[in-house]
Amino acid sequence: MTLKSSRFTLFSLTAIFTITALIVSCASAPEVPEGTTLAEAYENHFPIGAAVAAGEYSFDSFARYSDALLGEFNSLTAENAMKPAILQPKKGEFNWIPADKIVAYAVDHNMRLRGHTLVWHNQTADWMFTDSGTQDEQRAKAMDSLRDHIAAVMTRYKGKVTSWDVVNEVVADSPGDSPYRTDSPWYQAYGGIGYVREAFEMARAADPDALLFYNDYSMIDPGKRQRVLDMIDELGLVRDGLIDGVGLQAHWGLSYPDRTTLRDAVRDFREAGLRVEITELDIICDEWDQELLADRYENLFTWLRELSDDIDGVTFWGVADDHTWLTDFHGFTNYPFLFDTEGNRKDAHRRVIQAA
Ligand code: XIL
């Protein structure tokens, strides 16, 4: 080979390499317009939601959220305002104000609404139960209270709240003596798990058009996942058309779950005939781990996007780092979201947009 031809070969190889690199980089990372919101970026995949506070506790306020911040999302959930203890603290005395604020905002801004929650062992109301009388009497009182509550709440928000977490967290974390959470006031009043089926029946009757969910944490854990599937099977919830899907809460960490675990969980629920939503996403995280958080969110949203045919929505359990339940729950200040304490986009936001 002459010097000239080897120079030419080198030149053309370099050119081919450069052009290929350019094509590959253009194809894998298209320019995302500055200012793209989460809702816009995931428009073709699934709604992106957030849980919001609305003044239900003295320290909360709906005014904390700017329109720009809420404009990042196209789905809302009440963080507390639709729980029985807030909505109906005394029999027949409803406190609709905080929940109504959220509903009005979502309707005005064309956002989807997920309702949370009708049956839970926490934030329930004492009047719904009695501790006197026989088991039959206690069961009757609890079911009558629940029927009235579900009818009132679901009727008020009919056509606006289009999916409901009907039942939250009734399955045990470890196999122990019972597959269920036996210390729940609902379990004790009913004398078994049958209240779950009754709650779904009440919800179907109250709003036949709403999508009805069972919501829980750790359902990516194979053991708990199986207990949930067994319960749904045993109560005939899919068979009798009473349930539409499951909500995976997704209070996750910087290194769990991994892709396979997530994918297997989604697959198992889909195979059982259920829709799947991610309902309470946040990542336990210190202030100094923000780079890891950005990596983590990019991975998670890449996997969620890959699974988007099987996932109907992804909701964060909060909006920005100024307000997260994780801080109280874990006893240290958490910075788990895509927006900082001032509501500005963090690096994690950019990475989630990239992953779309
Ligand atoms: C939490 C709220 O974020 C807190 O403000 C409240 O004090 C307790 O409840 N799983 C659920 C949610 O289903 O309802 C919980 O929300 C968080 C865990």
Side-chain angles (χ1 to χ4, degrees):
M1 207 182 336
T2 64
L3 187 63
K4 206 173 160 194
S5 72
S6 75
R7 272 223 194 108
F8 178 76
T9 312
L10 191 66
F11 171 78
S12 35
L13 276 178
T14 316
I16 289 167
F17 180 77
T18 314
I19 290 166
T20 313
L22 264 173
I23 292 169
V24 167
S25 72
C26 285
S28 62
E31 266 310 297
V32 180
E34 184 72 21
T36 301
T37 63
L38 299 169
E40 285 164 348
Y42 283 84
E43 206 167 23
N44 298 323
H45 303 310
F46 35 66
I48 302 274
V52 288
E56 63 273 13
Y57 294 125
S58 56
F59 54 87
D60 286 334
S61 132
F62 196 58
R64 70 166 67 239
Y65 311 110
S66 68
D67 285 341
L69 201 48
L70 292 186
E72 294 275 349
F73 304 94
N74 51 7
S75 174
L76 290 182
T77 303
E79 183 182 1
N80 291 296
M82 290 191 190
K83 294 171 181 169
I86 307 292
L87 269 189
Q88 195 180 182
K90 294 197 179 124
K91 187 174 168 53
E93 289 182 24
F94 288 89
N95 171 26
W96 299 112
I97 295 170
D100 280 359
K101 263 191 227 174
I102 298 171
V103 173
Y105 190 92
V107 169
D108 274 2
H109 294 81
N110 213 3
M111 299 163 99
R112 184 182 79 134
L113 277 159
R114 292 197 87 255
H116 177 85
T117 182
L118 300 166
V119 177
W120 192 25
H121 59 281
N122 285 329
Q123 292 176 291
T124 185
D126 291 345
W127 66 265
M128 296 177 139
F129 308 98
T130 174
D131 38 19
S132 61
T134 63
Q135 181 82 64
D136 283 354
E137 285 162 348
Q138 293 190 19
R139 179 188 308 131
K141 162 87 177 171
M143 291 301 100
D144 287 347
S145 310
L146 187 62
R147 188 170 298 102
D148 290 348
H149 180 79
I150 288 181
V153 175
M154 288 187 72
T155 302
R156 185 177 185 90
Y157 297 128
K158 211 178 212 156
K160 295 173 178 163
V161 173
T162 49
S163 35
W164 274 98
D165 291 336
V166 177
V167 174
N168 197 31
E169 301 181 354
V170 303
V171 168
D173 291 338
S174 47
D177 297 338
S178 167
Y180 308 120
R181 189 187 284 274
T182 52
D183 57 1
S184 162
W186 294 107
Y187 188 95
Q188 293 182 353
Y190 200 90
I193 198 65
Y195 66 98
V196 169
R197 184 180 162 105
E198 291 213 28
F200 276 98
E201 285 171 351
M202 293 170 195
R204 249 319 170 242
D207 181 359
D209 294 328
L211 295 173
L212 307 182
F213 283 76
Y214 174 72
N215 194 58
D216 209 332
Y217 58 88
S218 296
M219 285 199 283
I220 48 163
D221 164 68
K224 188 155 175 184
R225 187 193 318 160
Q226 197 52 52
R227 282 191 286 285
V228 170
L229 285 166
D230 289 347
M231 173 184 76
I232 289 174
D233 193 39
E234 211 161 289
L235 297 176
L237 300 183
V238 172
R239 184 195 62 217
D240 297 339
L242 294 170
I243 192 174
D244 296 293
V246 289
L248 312 185
Q249 288 190 3
H251 300 293
W252 287 338
L254 287 170
S255 54
Y256 67 89
D258 60 25
R259 181 167 174 267
T260 313
T261 313
L262 176 63
R263 201 193 48 205
D264 290 354
V266 171
R267 183 205 53 213
D268 286 358
F269 287 118
R270 295 290 293 137
E271 283 178 4
L274 294 154
R275 292 168 182 258
V276 175
E277 291 215 24
I278 306 295
T279 54
E280 304 187 13
L281 177 59
D282 51 22
I283 305 287
I284 179 174
C285 187
D286 281 313
E287 192 171 15
W288 50 85
D289 276 341
Q290 295 300 303
E291 266 179 53
L292 293 178
L293 184 75
D295 292 345
R296 177 71 179 138
Y297 270 123
E298 178 170 355
N299 286 334
L300 269 179
F301 274 83
T302 303
W303 305 336
L304 292 169
R305 179 179 48 67
E306 287 168 0
L307 293 166
S308 63
D309 285 350
D310 292 312
I311 292 182
D312 285 9
V314 175
T315 293
F316 290 87
W317 204 244
V319 176
D321 287 347
D322 62 325
H323 175 69
T324 167
W325 80 296
L326 290 175
T327 289
D328 283 343
F329 191 70
H330 293 295
F332 70 94
T333 311
N334 264 264
Y335 298 81
F337 295 125
L338 307 183
F339 303 90
D340 67 18
T341 54
E342 312 278 289
N344 300 311
R345 291 170 168 187
K346 305 198 304 194
D347 194 38
H349 180 282
R350 186 179 59 77
R351 304 280 289 279
V352 166
I353 298 278
Q354 284 298 339

